[in-house]
Amino acid sequence: MKVCKTVRQIKIEINKAIRAGKSVGFVPTMGYLHDGHLSLIKRARKENDIVVVSIFVNPTQFGEGEDLESYPRDLDRDCRLVEKEGTDFVFAPSAEEMYPHGYMSYVDVEGNITKQLCGKSRVGHFKGVATVVSKLFNIVTPNKAYFGQKDAQQVAVLEQMVRDLNFNIEIVPCPIVREADGLALSSRNTYLSQKERQDALILSKSLIEAEEMIKNGERDAAKIKNFIINNIKTVEYADIDYVEIVNAKTLEDLDQIQGDVLIALAVKIGKPRLIDNIRLEV
Amino acid sequence: MKVCKTVRQIKIEINKAIRAGKSVGFVPTMGYLHDGHLSLIKRARKENDIVVVSIFVNPTQFGEGEDLESYPRDLDRDCRLVEKEGTDFVFAPSAEEMYPHGYMSYVDVEGNITKQLCGKSRVGHFKGVATVVSKLFNIVTPNKAYFGQKDAQQVAVLEQMVRDLNFNIEIVPCPIVREADGLALSSRNTYLSQKERQDALILSKSLIEAEEMIKNGERDAAKIKNFIINNIKTVEYADIDYVEIVNAKTLEDLDQIQGDVLIALAVKIGKPRLIDNIRLEV
C-alpha cells in the first residue's frame, strides 16, 4: 500500500493503473475509521481492480462553531486498518494541498435537497461536500465511489451532483453498520460519555420501532414522526435538531408513508450531534 | 464525422476512442462558427488523435434581457464547416438534454476574477460558463480544450477552475482572429449594420495604438485607459461598458503597465455589445 500526500503523486499512481486497464474503486473518508468505513472498503475491494481510500478532514464542509478543530484524527492507525483490507493507495492530503492560497471554485447543488434535514442547521455543509467530492473525483477518476447510507442526505446530494454534472462515476450507497446494540457507527461516537453512549441507543431503537409500525400498516407520517420525537424526549437532555420523513431521492416531505421512504434524524446527545436513519420501500 | 445529440451517444463514441488509446482535443462553441472557431479546430486537429466540437447555445450563461433568443444559430452550416477541418465528432445537445427537469448543480468561481470586467454587467454569466464547461469536460473528457483569447476573462476563469477543481485537462488559449481591417471575429458581428461595422473598427484601432504607446515606453495605465476611452468616444453612439487594464491571470487592476498585461474592453456599438482585448508581456 502506498500513501500519497500530494495530488500530483496520487494522479501519477492512478494514471499508471488506468493505463494498465484497471478499474478504480474509491472510498472517500474523513479518517478515524470504524467498521462502517471498512465495510465500504471491503465492498470496493470486491468490485474493482484497485482501491483508493482518501483520508481528509475537509474544512469547507464544517460550519462556524462546528467541530473541525476537535474532529478526531489518527492517520497511522487509519493506514494500518485500510492496509489490512487490501487498499492499494491512500490519498491523505493537507488542507493547503486541497485548498491552496487563492482557491476560489465551488460546486453547489442548489434547491431543496441541500436545504432540508442537515442542510437547515448546517448551512454551507453540502456545498463543502460537493466541492471536495468533485475535486476528489477529478483526482482519483474512479469507476465507482462508495458512501455510507448513514449520511443519507449526502448520498442523495452526490447522486444529484453526479447526474447533473455528468460525472462518469457510479455512486454506490452502502448499508449503515451498527454496534451490536444498534448504535450507528460514527467517528463522532468517540465524543460520547458512557452514559450518553447508553442514552444514544434511543435513536436506533426509535427508528426500528417506527419501521415495525410501518410493517404493521401505519401510513400516517405525522404519527410516526411524533412517535419518534416523543420516544427521544424520554432522554431529558436529548436536543432534537430534526426528525423527518421524506422521499429518499428528492428529500421532499412525505405525508403518507409510500415509495422510497427515508426516516432521518439528527439529535444532540450531550455534546455530539448524532445522525441516524432508516430507508424502506413501501 | 458523426453528430451526437445526446450525452449517452457522445460518451459511447469517446469511450471507444479512449480505450483505443487516442488523445482527445475539444473545442466548445456556441455555434454560428467563424474563422476564429475554425482556428481552434485546426490547432486541436494538429495536437490530438480525435477532435470533438460541441455546439450548444448555453442558456445558463445568458442574463435576463440578453440575446439568448436571438443568438444566431445554423447547425447545418456549422457541421459542414467543422467537417472540412477534420472534426471527428460534433456534440450538439438540446437545452433539455443538458439541463433536464430538476437540474440543480452549479460550478462557480467565486472572487474578483468573475466580478471584474464582463462579470460586472453580466451577473451570473461566468457561473453559467463554469457550469456548462464542467459538464462538457466530464462528458468529453478531453486531454486538451481550446478557447479563444478573445474571451480573455473566460480563459482566466476556466484556468482557475481547472486548477482549483483538479480537472485533468489542459486549457489551450488561442490568439484572436481578426478581419483584414482589424475587427475581432465574433458571432455577434452579424448583428452590426454596415455603418456600425465600420464604426466598430475604433475598438481594435484603439487597442493597437495603445500597444504602440506601451512599446514607446508609456507605463501609466490611467493614461492608456483614457486614451482608449477618448478614442472610442469619437463614435458618438458608442456605449462603453468598460475599458480595463489588468493582470491577465488574476484580472487585478494595474496602475503600472508591467508583467502579463491585459487591456480589455466591452462596448455597445448600436445594439450588439462587442468585446476585444490585447495581451502583452511588459
Side-chain angles (χ1 to χ4, degrees):
Chain A
M1 189 181 78
K2 199 157 182 173
V3 180
C4 299
K5 301 236 173 184
T6 67
V7 172
R8 206 184 125 75
Q9 225 182 334
I10 186 81
K11 275 194 176 183
I12 289 172
E13 297 293 345
I14 288 170
N15 280 343
K16 254 190 263 169
I18 290 176
R19 258 184 276 123
K22 294 189 172 167
S23 67
V24 179
F26 178 42
V27 182
T29 81
M30 297 215 300
Y32 215 74
L33 305 176
H34 51 62
D35 284 348
H37 300 107
L38 300 184
S39 77
L40 305 179
I41 301 174
K42 281 188 217 307
R43 173 103 185 252
R45 184 66 284 167
K46 263 191 216 152
E47 299 182 352
N48 302 275
D49 297 327
I50 73 161
V51 173
V52 181
V53 175
S54 68
I55 296 177
F56 179 58
V57 181
N58 173 40
T60 66
Q61 74 190 66
F62 286 79
E64 261 188 72
E66 288 185 10
D67 56 347
L68 172 61
E69 300 307 320
S70 61
Y71 196 88
R73 293 160 167 92
D74 191 342
L75 183 60
D76 290 344
R77 178 179 162 276
D78 287 343
C79 285
R80 283 197 301 277
L81 286 172
V82 303
E83 185 160 26
K84 260 194 222 154
E85 300 299 339
T87 299
D88 298 284
F89 299 103
V90 168
F91 178 48
S94 67
E96 294 67 36
E97 177 72 9
M98 291 295 273
Y99 302 105
H101 180 71
Y103 186 93
M104 57 180 97
S105 302
Y106 294 89
V107 180
D108 200 9
V109 180
E110 302 180 357
N112 266 336
I113 200 166
T114 52
K115 307 283 179 297
Q116 300 302 316
L117 310 180
C118 290
K120 263 187 202 161
S121 58
R122 304 193 71 188
V123 176
H125 170 67
F126 289 108
K127 183 175 170 181
V129 169
T131 299
V132 79
V133 171
S134 289
K135 284 171 63 68
L136 291 169
F137 279 2
N138 285 340
I139 293 165
V140 177
T141 63
N143 302 85
K144 296 180 177 190
Y146 299 80
F147 293 87
Q149 184 62 32
K150 173 157 163 289
D151 298 297
Q153 187 171 16
Q154 176 171 273
V155 169
V157 169
L158 293 177
E159 282 179 337
Q160 180 77 39
M161 180 187 86
V162 161
R163 206 159 48 236
D164 282 350
L165 296 183
N166 309 102
F167 279 102
N168 303 299
I169 292 166
E170 186 191 339
I171 300 274
V172 184
C174 301
I176 297 178
V177 177
R178 299 178 180 281
E179 304 278 8
D181 59 10
L183 183 70
L185 296 194
S186 166
S187 306
R188 288 189 173 100
N189 290 349
T190 185
Y191 297 144
L192 293 165
S193 73
Q194 224 166 349
K195 160 133 180 48
E196 288 163 353
R197 167 76 185 71
Q198 228 15 62
D199 288 334
L201 291 178
I202 195 69
L203 307 184
S204 54
K205 211 168 137 274
S206 304
L207 289 170
I208 290 162
E209 286 175 22
E211 188 177 23
E212 207 52 43
M213 284 170 77
I214 293 168
K215 282 188 177 151
N216 291 334
E218 184 58 66
R219 291 293 175 271
D220 184 336
K223 269 193 195 156
I224 308 256
K225 198 166 140 173
N226 283 332
F227 166 80
I228 296 172
I229 290 174
N230 290 331
N231 235 345
I232 294 172
K233 281 185 174 164
T234 61
V235 174
E236 87 191 292
Y237 61 94
D239 179 6
I240 297 176
D241 181 357
Y242 66 79
V243 175
E244 298 288 357
I245 303 182
V246 297
N247 176 286
K249 287 208 182 65
T250 64
L251 304 190
E252 274 161 14
D253 274 335
L254 293 179
D255 294 328
Q256 283 292 309
I257 304 287
Q258 205 180 1
D260 188 357
V261 176
L262 177 74
I263 310 180
L265 52 80
V267 178
K268 269 192 152 181
I269 300 282
K271 224 175 167 188
R273 178 178 173 282
L274 303 180
I275 59 175
D276 200 350
N277 69 77
I278 208 159
R279 185 172 175 172
L280 56 173
E281 195 66 50
V282 182
Chain B
M1 189 182 79
K2 201 158 181 175
V3 179
C4 300
K5 302 235 172 186
T6 67
V7 172
R8 203 183 127 74
Q9 224 182 334
I10 187 81
K11 276 194 176 181
I12 289 171
E13 297 294 344
I14 289 170
N15 281 343
K16 252 189 264 172
I18 289 175
R19 257 183 276 123
K22 294 189 174 169
S23 67
V24 179
F26 178 42
V27 181
T29 82
M30 298 217 299
Y32 215 75
L33 304 176
H34 50 63
D35 284 348
H37 299 107
L38 301 185
S39 77
L40 305 178
I41 300 174
K42 281 187 219 307
R43 173 104 185 251
R45 182 67 285 166
K46 264 191 218 151
E47 300 181 352
N48 302 274
D49 297 327
I50 73 162
V51 173
V52 181
V53 175
S54 68
I55 297 176
F56 179 59
V57 181
N58 173 40
T60 66
Q61 73 189 69
F62 287 79
E64 260 187 73
E66 288 186 9
D67 57 346
L68 172 61
E69 301 306 320
S70 61
Y71 196 88
R73 294 161 167 91
D74 190 342
L75 183 60
D76 289 344
R77 178 180 162 274
D78 288 341
C79 285
R80 284 195 303 275
L81 287 172
V82 303
E83 185 159 26
K84 262 192 221 155
E85 300 299 339
T87 299
D88 300 284
F89 299 103
V90 168
F91 177 50
S94 66
E96 294 67 38
E97 177 72 8
M98 290 294 274
Y99 302 105
H101 180 71
Y103 186 93
M104 57 180 96
S105 302
Y106 294 89
V107 180
D108 200 8
V109 180
E110 301 179 357
N112 266 336
I113 200 166
T114 52
K115 308 284 180 296
Q116 300 302 316
L117 309 180
C118 289
K120 261 186 201 162
S121 58
R122 303 192 71 188
V123 176
H125 171 67
F126 289 108
K127 182 174 171 181
V129 169
T131 299
V132 78
V133 171
S134 290
K135 285 171 63 70
L136 290 169
F137 280 1
N138 285 339
I139 293 166
V140 177
T141 62
N143 301 84
K144 295 180 178 189
Y146 299 79
F147 293 87
Q149 184 62 33
K150 178 161 160 286
D151 299 296
Q153 186 171 14
Q154 177 171 274
V155 168
V157 169
L158 293 177
E159 282 179 338
Q160 179 77 38
M161 179 187 88
V162 160
R163 208 161 44 238
D164 282 350
L165 295 182
N166 309 102
F167 278 102
N168 304 297
I169 292 167
E170 185 190 341
I171 299 274
V172 183
C174 301
I176 298 179
V177 177
R178 298 180 181 281
E179 305 277 8
D181 59 9
L183 183 70
L185 296 194
S186 164
S187 305
R188 287 188 173 100
N189 290 350
T190 185
Y191 298 144
L192 293 165
S193 73
Q194 226 167 347
K195 160 137 183 42
E196 288 163 354
R197 167 76 185 70
Q198 230 13 64
D199 288 334
L201 291 178
I202 195 69
L203 306 184
S204 53
K205 212 169 136 276
S206 306
L207 289 170
I208 290 162
E209 287 175 19
E211 188 177 22
E212 208 52 43
M213 286 168 76
I214 293 168
K215 282 185 178 153
N216 291 333
E218 184 57 66
R219 291 292 176 270
D220 184 336
K223 269 193 195 156
I224 309 255
K225 197 166 142 175
N226 284 331
F227 167 79
I228 297 172
I229 289 172
N230 290 330
N231 235 346
I232 294 172
K233 281 185 173 165
T234 61
V235 174
E236 86 190 294
Y237 60 95
D239 180 5
I240 297 176
D241 181 357
Y242 66 79
V243 174
E244 300 286 358
I245 303 181
V246 297
N247 176 287
K249 288 207 181 69
T250 64
L251 304 190
E252 272 161 17
D253 274 336
L254 293 178
D255 295 329
Q256 283 292 307
I257 304 287
Q258 205 181 359
D260 188 357
V261 176
L262 178 74
I263 311 180
L265 52 80
V267 178
K268 269 191 155 183
I269 300 282
K271 224 176 165 184
R273 179 178 174 283
L274 302 180
I275 59 175
D276 200 350
N277 70 77
I278 209 159
R279 185 172 175 172
L280 57 173
E281 196 66 48
V282 182

